[in-house]
Structure formats: structure tokens, C-alpha cells
Amino acid sequence: MLAALEESQQRIGKLELYIKSLEFNREDTQKRANEKLRERDTKLAEAQQTIARQREVLDFYANQEHWELPSFGRGQSMVTSDRGSKARELLEEGTAMPVTSNCPTCGNQHPINHPSRPGIYLCVPCDYVYEEGSDKA
């Protein structure tokens, strides 16, 4: 009877350790998920800002009033005097965005980021998994 009690206590101890490890893994997974969610929210906010800036520049060039010459007949329109500087500024803003590497197998320019391993990508067209900056799968 005593041996069965000791065995049950050992089993309870092991189960308690197992439960603690599950709780730790759950908390760790939740932390990583929250971090990923914050990253996605940041990227979404940045994309929304970029879209708003692009809309602003497109509205400038699309506005017919900006193409009209001054009423006194001399000078340039707002678009002509701008000489495309708003568009160039917008394009320069876009070059600062991070670009993921192309797939070394097929050259696909839109790989999928691995959800839990930064720097690891999946190329959907050729089903190739690779590390950023290397030719190794």
C-alpha cells in the first residue's frame, strides 16, 4: 500500500511538472503571437500612411485646377512648376521600404515569411523554403 502511495505521489509530481511546462509553453506562444500581432499592426499602419500619401500626391496631379494657367495668361500651372517633384519624393519614400529576397530557385519576388522563424521564406510557386541571403534550403 505504501509503495502504491509513493508511486502515486511521484506520478502527481511528474504531472504537475508537465502542467507547468504546458503553461510556460502557452505563455511563451501567447507572447510570440502578441509580438507578431503588434508587428502586423505596425506594418498595417505604415501601409495605410503610404496609401494616404500616395492618394494625396495623385489628387494633386489629378486636380484639373492645378493644370490651369494663371488667369493673367502668363506663368506656369501648379503641375508644370512642380515638375514632378511630388512624384519623385513619393518614389524616394518607397525605396526605404524593406524588400525580401527573391527565391533563388525561380526568382519569385513575393515569398512568404515563415511565421516563427525570421529570415526563412517559402516560395509558393516552386514550394522552396530558403534562408534570406543564401541558396540553401
Side-chain angles (χ1 to χ4, degrees), residues 59-123:
D59 286 343
F60 173 80
Y61 289 113
N63 188 336
Q64 290 181 347
E65 293 176 7
H66 294 162
W67 288 86
E68 295 173 1
L69 293 174
S71 59
F72 51 86
R74 296 179 149 228
Q76 299 178 337
S77 70
M78 290 174 70
V79 171
T80 307
S81 63
D82 174 66
R83 296 184 181 265
S85 65
K86 291 184 187 318
R88 280 191 299 282
E89 287 173 13
L90 186 62
L91 290 170
E92 287 173 8
E93 288 174 15
T95 59
M97 295 178 70
V99 177
T100 57
S101 60
N102 294 355
C103 173
T105 302
C106 71
N108 179 24
Q109 297 178 354
H110 306 287
I112 297 172
N113 294 331
H114 191 283
S116 63
R117 294 172 55 200
I120 304 294
Y121 300 98
L122 167 66
C123 177

Side-chain angles (χ1 to χ4, degrees), residues 13 36 39 41 53 55 58 66 70 78 96 99 112 117 125:
K36 288 291 183 185
E39 288 174 14
D41 288 346
R53 178 77 175 111
R55 184 177 303 275
L58 287 172
H66 294 162
M78 290 174 70
V99 177
I112 297 172
R117 294 172 55 200

Side-chain angles (χ1 to χ4, degrees), residues 14-26:
K14 288 179 183 178
L15 289 172
E16 286 174 347
L17 285 175
Y18 179 70
I19 289 170
K20 285 181 183 179
S21 72
L22 288 176
E23 288 173 353
F24 175 77
N25 286 338
R26 181 185 51 82

Side-chain angles (χ1 to χ4, degrees), residues 3-70:
L5 180 61
E6 287 179 12
E7 187 178 322
S8 294
Q9 287 176 336
Q10 287 179 352
R11 178 132 173 87
I12 288 171
K14 288 179 183 178
L15 289 172
E16 286 174 347
L17 285 175
Y18 179 70
I19 289 170
K20 285 181 183 179
S21 72
L22 288 176
E23 288 173 353
F24 175 77
N25 286 338
R26 181 185 51 82
E27 290 171 5
D28 185 51
T29 302
Q30 186 65 48
K31 285 179 188 177
R32 284 188 279 136
N34 289 341
E35 183 179 311
K36 288 291 183 185
L37 185 59
R38 278 191 297 275
E39 288 174 14
R40 299 288 168 146
D41 288 346
T42 301
K43 287 179 182 180
L44 176 61
E46 290 171 355
Q48 289 171 332
Q49 289 174 349
T50 300
I51 290 168
R53 178 77 175 111
Q54 291 170 342
R55 184 177 303 275
E56 176 186 320
V57 171
L58 287 172
D59 286 343
F60 173 80
Y61 289 113
N63 188 336
Q64 290 181 347
E65 293 176 7
H66 294 162
W67 288 86
E68 295 173 1
L69 293 174

